[in-house]
Amino acid sequence: QVQLVESGGGLVQPGGSLRLSCAASGFTFSNYTMSWYRQAPGKERDLVATITSTKSTNYADSMKGRFTISRDNAKNTVYLQMNSLKPEDTAIYYCKAAFARVYWGRGTQVTVSS
C-alpha cells in the first residue's frame, strides 16, 4: 500500500524555521521525483520545490534562498527546510511523488503568525 506521510508542520513566528518531512512507502522511492506543494485557504495548490531521482532541485521563485528540498533514499524520506518564514507561507504543505504514477500525501499545516 502506497503511503506518503507528511510531518513537521506547526505554528511558528515570522522569521522562524521549520523542517518538514515526508516518509514514503509502498513504491520504489529512489525512482521518483519528489515535490512539495502548498495550498493556502481559498487559493490553488502551488508548487514549492522539486527534487529528481538524481537530486536535481528546482524552486518556485518566492522560495529561492529560503527553502531547501532534500531527500534521503535510504530512509525513503524527502525534506523541506524552511527558513525566514513569512505569514504568507501559511498553508497546508503536501508531498507528491511522480514517476510511473502520481501519489499525494494528506498534508501538514504550517502557520506563520506572531
Side-chain angles (χ1 to χ4, degrees):
Q1 182 180 359
V2 171
Q3 279 194 313
L4 291 173
V5 180
E6 300 95 336
S7 62
L11 173 64
V12 63
Q13 292 186 343
S17 297
L18 282 175
R19 188 195 196 202
L20 305 183
S21 299
C22 172
S25 60
F27 61 97
T28 308
F29 178 80
S30 59
N31 288 344
Y32 278 67
T33 290
M34 301 299 298
S35 301
W36 287 96
Y37 282 73
R38 71 184 186 184
Q39 187 167 19
K43 296 189 176 181
E44 295 184 353
R45 190 174 297 189
D46 293 325
L47 176 67
V48 173
T50 295
I51 185 165
T52 67
S53 59
T54 57
K55 299 189 177 181
S56 175
T57 60
N58 187 48
Y59 298 90
D61 286 344
S62 62
M63 288 69 164
K64 289 180 180 178
R66 298 192 299 127
F67 292 8
T68 303
I69 189 170
S70 61
R71 66 190 296 161
D72 185 337
N73 289 340
K75 295 183 178 180
N76 287 357
T77 301
V78 61
Y79 304 98
L80 185 69
Q81 177 68 42
M82 305 188 294
N83 299 327
S84 303
L85 283 163
K86 306 174 183 179
E88 52 263 43
D89 294 318
T90 295
I92 299 174
Y93 283 71
Y94 297 91
C95 176
K96 173 188 168 184
F99 179 55
R101 303 186 72 171
V102 176
Y103 306 114
W104 288 92
R106 293 189 174 187
T108 185
Q109 175 71 48
V110 171
T111 302
V112 185
S113 175
S114 55

